[in-house]
């Protein structure tokens, strides 16, 4: 009875702990995983997943992670997955020894912490879950059934299927001695046949990590740790006392977590992105005030939130400003750095730039998956630009998903009807904000472009605030003064905003750098950054 | 047993096929996708499956009758022809026409006016196509792959892909007049290189020298297979702020070099390394000339509108590797206020197909880019209105017998370029383009996000060892080419 209570307590601890972890610590990562896939309810999508070893685990992980469209649902999904892993592991270990200790809890926690990183995909926990479920369901059936089961399992989950073969060897004994060599042959055959992938990627697993060439050996180390208590319990029950076997366990776990623990700065940045995506501007400001990771990304999120709430002219230098790129970043070849810039372009009405940045963000996804978030944004840009055929195609993809479906259906009604788009509260408004004249985008002269954007439509106060803010970030106070009449005429502000006044007073040497937040920014800008030699 | 099987088959087929009864006559041609009405095809091409774009269409019934005999019938949610029966019918009707009668069922059957498909008497001897699949992007390539597609079926395989060579950007492979026994391609960026594969052996070159400034691209083989011409340039892009233009692609410099694959030497004549931008080399059918485009240097991107290329030619002697002293201007771009690029001579030496656009030297990004045909016998130029659209046409290539050509067009949505096949007769008249057939065209092209760039015919299947390419790229040595010394 006491043992049952103890197990229930551990299970509850796993369920609640993992839920709270994802909900409170890493909702941004869930949002990141969600936006890097688009689960489609089509046969084609399933077939495509099944065309590669490990594809089924990836498919099911995608099916689950799509719920992170609402982070609480995503946290719930992750909690259910972890709890299932805990339960299966507990039951399997209980078959070997009734008193199995805290091993399942430790392993579940290790798995959660290790995969809490942008480089790991949700496919690895799903693959391990499927392996454990297969071991559980197989029971003590004849080893000959594994002749078929092993290749099928390998194709479903990828190379972590070796855990199954090893577990069967432990539980059945010599009759399964052929399991691991047999699986090795299957993997070798896959590596030989699938020439679209380097052999080392096939051997280590295609779907576990996002960066193909950084082979996920840590995944196999963790898988080995899943096996270790089983080995220990098995050997103990056969009266061979090997206490030293347990020693490497905490040691390996410790090493694993030392190198694979979650990066708190990364989590914070991803959380900011999630808040920006959902337009939670006040929450962005609250978090940046509380803990600003000193990167351009943080500055961009804060500035966009300030701009969207009309506070940019007043409070800009209350927040960390990374440099001239604190408003808009140049194009980077990754799928994170430019997220707030792409959002800022969209809100500003620079639709071509929003489309371009979003397209490149989509192309930067290392797993080459289509992104729901980016596809939605591209469809919006195409709608605003009047490219109905391209928009329709993207909307038809989204129509086959769960969380984008109703939105896509609404937007499909706008296809071919420019007058309806003109009347749309968001798309019609953004259409009006666009440039009137066509010219080539020049990142180095973005302050001028922002000024032109404002001149194209003086209702576009965000463009005016960004124009002024860019001049401040560039340290161009004289030009700021030239543009000041626009602020007086169009912004409805009776007094000069605090940031501008502060910059002006600093430029006129009425304030020292110590007294002026802007002065401190300029001073910091003039200092070489850490790591720079000159 | 046989009788039972026959009865079962009969039962199954009759129970699945519905009789077309009481059909209402429609006074129009069927709204089919892709538009195959009135096209000309080679007998060897995969079946032209199509969908009927009638609202509420649940079933289509299609009967094809050949002018030289034979019929083919299909019924289903789309016109899905049996490949074996299709090829039997097209082979039987080579030089004739196929009469296509379409019925579509929504609430009730509709009978559309019949249309015709011409089966050319000219064969298409090539095995298939190669092309580069890439999503329309800007600065990041994504999952690029070079694919091979069998023309008589829908079978496609990847020859090289981003998954096989992670993080590498590669441009299209160029075979020698459709013969994949000799091919070349370039992998860009750090640790990149130029692949030259002959008879299955991969050689990876570093074609970047202090004198050439950049590695080779836009390749074209000399017919004898010893030499391969490349442009060495630096390609850039700028972006427009309004939707009317998307991208302006330009080159900051460009010269033409010829790689001697027997001596690992680069031939770099002064005539092709001037201050002007020489680009898109192509050897004449007999190898005695190199056609190329040339534009005056401009301050790009500011002066992007001034980039106008002329079509030029220079003599080349393959026995000595010497070039003629004089550069002939065949078409003067600045004078005609347009840009002539991407000249591709037909392999029979009769025609020169090229792109003409209002400006620039990257036609796939110019909406105004159209295909033109230059008659090498009388020097006349003609706009090929019969194949052009209001969007970009580019990346054309000839079949090995020069009776067919394939090209990319963005006519579908202005973003993605897809491959179209057309026949050309002795007078230089092209037939209505055929969108590359797919088993389920509407579904395929509806979900397809890729562009099919640089399509080219391949006489036989291409064999390219990706693992070897991976090994060579990541761990192998490059053969450093040297520029051939000028004769004293």
């Amino acid at each position: 009875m006491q043992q049952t209570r103890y197990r229930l307590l551990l299970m509850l601890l796993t369920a609640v702990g993992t839920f709270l972890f994802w909900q409170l610590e890493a909702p941004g990562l869930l949002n990141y995983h969600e936006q890097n896939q688009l689960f489609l309810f089509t046969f084609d999508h399933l077939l495509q997943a099944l065309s590669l070893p490990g594809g089924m685990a990836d498919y099911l992980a995608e099916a689950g992670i799509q719920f992170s469209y609402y982070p609480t649902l995503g946290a719930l999904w992750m909690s259910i997955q972890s709890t299932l892993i805990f339960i299966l592991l507990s039951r399997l270990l209980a078959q070997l020894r009734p008193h199995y200790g805290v091993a399942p809890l430790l392993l579940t926690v290790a798995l959660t912490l290790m995969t809490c990183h942008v480089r790991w995909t949700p496919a690895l926990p799903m693959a391990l879950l499927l392996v454990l479920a297969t071991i559980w369901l197989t029971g003590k059936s004849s080893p000959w059934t594994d002749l078929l089961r092993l290749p099928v399992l390998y194709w479903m989950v990828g190379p972590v299927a070796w855990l199954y073969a090893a577990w069967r060897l432990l539980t059945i004994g010599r009759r399964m001695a052929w399991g691991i060599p047999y699986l090795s042959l299957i993997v070798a055959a896959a590596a030989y046949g699938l020439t679209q992938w380097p052999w080392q990627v096939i051997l280590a697993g295609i779907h576990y990590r996002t960066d193909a060439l950084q082979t996920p050996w840590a995944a196999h180390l963790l898988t080995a740790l899943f096996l270790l208590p089983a080995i220990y319990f098995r050997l103990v029950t056969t009266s061979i006392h090997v206490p030293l076997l347990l020693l490497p366990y905490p040691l390996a776990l410790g090493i694993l977590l030392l190198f694979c623990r979650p990066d708190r700065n990364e989590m914070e940045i991803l959380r900011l992105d999630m808040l920006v995506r959902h337009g939670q501007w006040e929450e962005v400001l609250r978090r940046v005030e509380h803990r600003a990771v000193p990167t351009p990304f943080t500055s961009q999120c804060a500035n966009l939130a300030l701009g969207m709430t009309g506070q940019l002219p007043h409070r800009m230098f209350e927040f960390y400003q990374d440099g001239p790129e604190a408003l808009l970043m140049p194009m980077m070849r990754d799928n994170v750095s430019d997220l707030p810039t792409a959002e800022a372009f969209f809100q500003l009405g620079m639709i071509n730039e929003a489309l371009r940045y979003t397209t490149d963000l989509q192309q930067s996804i290392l797993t080459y998956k289509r992104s729901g978030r980016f596809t939605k944004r591209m469809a919006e840009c195409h709608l605003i630009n009047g490219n109905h055929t391209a928009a329709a195609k993207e909307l038809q993809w989204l129509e086959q998903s769960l969380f984008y479906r109703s939105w896509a259906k609404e937007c499909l009604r706008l296809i071919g009807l420019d007058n309806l788009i003109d009347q749309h509260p968001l798309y019609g408004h953004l259409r009006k904000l666009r440039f009137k004249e066509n010219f080539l985008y020049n990142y180095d002269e973005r302050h001028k472009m922002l000024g032109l954007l404002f001149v194209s439509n003086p209702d576009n106060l965000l463009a005016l605030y960004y124009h002024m803010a860019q001049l401040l970030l560039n340290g161009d106070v004289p030009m700021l003064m030239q543009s000041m009449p626009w602020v007086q005429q169009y912004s409805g502000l009776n007094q000069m905003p605090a940031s501008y006044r502060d910059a002006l007073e600093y430029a006129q040497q009425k304030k020292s750098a110590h007294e002026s937040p802007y002065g401190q920014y300029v001073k910091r800008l003039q200092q070489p950054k850490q790591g720079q030699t000159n | 047993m046989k009788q039972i099987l026959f009865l079962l088959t009969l039962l199954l087929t009759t129970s699945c096929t519905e009789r077309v009864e009481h059909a209402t006559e429609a006074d129009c041609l069927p709204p089919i996708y892709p538009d195959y009405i009135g096209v000309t095809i080679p007998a060897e091409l995969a079946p032209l499956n199509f969908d009927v774009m009638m609202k509420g269409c649940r079933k289509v019934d299609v009967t094809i009758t050949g002018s030289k005999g034979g019929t083919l019938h299909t019924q289903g949610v789309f016109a899905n022809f049996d490949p074996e029966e299709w090829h039997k019918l097209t082979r039987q009707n080579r030089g004739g026409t196929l009469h296509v009668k379409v019925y579509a069922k929504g609430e009730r059957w509709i009978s559309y006016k019949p249309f015709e498909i011409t089966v050319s008497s000219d064969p298409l001897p090539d095995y298939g196509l190669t092309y580069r699949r890439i999503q329309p992007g800007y600065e990041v390539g994504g999952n690029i792959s070079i694919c091979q597609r069998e023309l008589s079926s829908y079978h496609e395989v990847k020859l090289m892909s981003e998954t096989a060579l992670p993080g590498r950007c590669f441009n299209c492979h160029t075979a020698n007049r459709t013969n994949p026994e000799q091919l070349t391609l370039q992998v860009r960026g750090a640790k990149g290189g130029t692949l030259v594969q002959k008879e299955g052996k991969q050689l990876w070159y570093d074609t970047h020298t202090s004198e050439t400034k950049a590695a080779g691209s836009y390749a074209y083989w000399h017919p004898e297979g010893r030499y391969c011409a490349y442009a060495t340039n630096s390609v850039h892009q700028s972006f427009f702020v309004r939707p009317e233009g998307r991208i302006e692609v330009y080159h900051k410099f460009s010269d033409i070099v010829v790689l001697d694959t027997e001596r690992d030497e680069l031939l770099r004549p002064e005539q092709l390394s001037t201050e002007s931008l020489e680009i898109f080399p192509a050897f004449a059918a007999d190898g005695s000339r190199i056609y190329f485009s040339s534009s005056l240097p401009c301050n790009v991107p500011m002066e992007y509108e001034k980039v106008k290329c002329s079509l030029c030619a220079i003599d080349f002697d393959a026995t000595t590797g010497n070039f003629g002293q004089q550069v002939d201007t065949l078409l003067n771009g600045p004078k005609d206020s347009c840009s002539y690029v991407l000249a591709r001579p037909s392999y029979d030496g009769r025609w020169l197909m090229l792109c003409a656009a209002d400006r620039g030297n990257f036609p796939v990004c110019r909406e105004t880019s159209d295909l033109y045909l230059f008659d090498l016998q009388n020097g006349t130029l003609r706009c090929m209105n019969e194949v052009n659209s209001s969007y970009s046409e580019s990346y054309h290539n000839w079949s090995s017998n020069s009776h067919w050509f394939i090209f990319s067009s963005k006519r579908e949505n202005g973003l993605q370029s897809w491959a179209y096949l057309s026949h050309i007769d002795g007078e230089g008249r092209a037939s209505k383009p055929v969108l590359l057939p797919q088993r389920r065209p509407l579904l395929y092209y509806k979900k397809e996000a890729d562009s099919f760039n640089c399509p080219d015919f391949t006489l036989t299947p291409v064999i390219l060892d990706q693992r070897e390419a991976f090994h060579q790229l990541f761990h192998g040595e490059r053969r450093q080419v040297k520029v051939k010394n000028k004769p004293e």
Side-chain angles (χ1 to χ4, degrees), chain A residues 44 190-200 202 212-213 331-333 350-353 355-357 359-364 368 370 382 385 387 389-390 393-394 396-397 400 431 434-442 449, chain B residues 135-144 157-167 238-248 250 301-302 304 412-416 418 444-449 465-467 470 474-475:
Chain A
D44 246 20
Y192 177 77
L194 293 167
T195 55
Q196 293 302 316
W197 302 82
W199 60 266
Q200 54 267 54
I202 304 279
L213 276 187
M331 184 57 217
M332 308 293 282
R333 287 170 180 259
M350 294 174 75
I351 303 302
N352 270 25
E353 280 62 49
L355 177 61
R356 175 160 64 89
Y357 271 57
T359 308
D360 281 343
L361 281 164
Q362 161 72 74
Q363 298 301 328
S364 302
Y368 310 120
R370 187 176 289 151
H382 284 308
N385 277 346
N387 191 345
T389 326
K393 186 172 224 175
E394 283 145 357
Q396 280 159 358
W397 292 330
Q400 293 161 342
R431 263 191 177 183
R434 291 179 303 172
F435 286 104
K436 298 279 186 287
E437 299 291 325
N438 205 5
F439 56 89
L440 286 177
Y441 172 91
N442 185 342
M449 287 195 297
Chain B
Q135 293 197 6
Y138 295 84
E139 293 177 67
V140 186
N143 192 11
I144 304 170
V157 288
K158 286 184 178 176
L159 297 173
M160 192 172 265
S161 67
E162 201 61 33
T163 52
L165 303 173
S238 287
F239 311 98
F240 289 99
V241 296
R242 293 247 338 139
E244 287 81 46
R246 219 165 61 93
I247 305 180
E248 189 68 31
Y250 51 90
M302 277 173 68
Y304 66 87
E412 198 74 25
N413 58 16
L415 274 182
Q416 292 159 296
W418 290 342
Y444 183 91
Y445 286 113
K446 193 173 86 172
K447 77 174 174 67
E448 196 47 69
D465 186 343
Q466 295 195 70
R467 291 272 166 78
F470 176 85
F474 286 84
H475 310 293

Side-chain angles (χ1 to χ4, degrees), chain A residues 31-46:
Chain A
N31 176 71
Y32 173 83
H33 284 319
E34 189 279 332
Q35 74 189 18
N36 284 322
Q37 58 78 45
L38 177 61
F39 184 81
L40 300 179
F41 289 89
T42 62
F43 188 56
D44 246 20
H45 196 67
L46 174 66

Side-chain angles (χ1 to χ4, degrees), chain A residues 212-231:
Chain A
L213 276 187
Q214 300 301 314
T215 41
W217 300 116
H220 296 283
L221 180 58
L222 185 77
T223 311
L225 290 178
F226 270 63
L227 194 66
L228 209 55
I231 295 174

Side-chain angles (χ1 to χ4, degrees), chain B residues 17 49-50 60-64 72-76 78-82 85 101 103:
Chain B
T17 306
N49 289 357
F50 59 81
V60 297
D61 183 284
V62 182
T63 306
I64 304 183
L72 181 57
H73 175 258
T74 184
Q75 194 181 81
F78 70 105
N80 182 15
F81 302 104
D82 177 73
E85 286 182 35
K101 178 68 185 168
Y103 297 90

Side-chain angles (χ1 to χ4, degrees), chain A residues 333-351:
Chain A
R333 287 170 180 259
D334 66 70
N335 65 337
V336 175
S337 302
D338 284 317
L339 285 163
T341 303
E343 186 63 37
F345 279 138
F346 187 74
Q347 299 295 347
L348 282 161
M350 294 174 75
I351 303 302

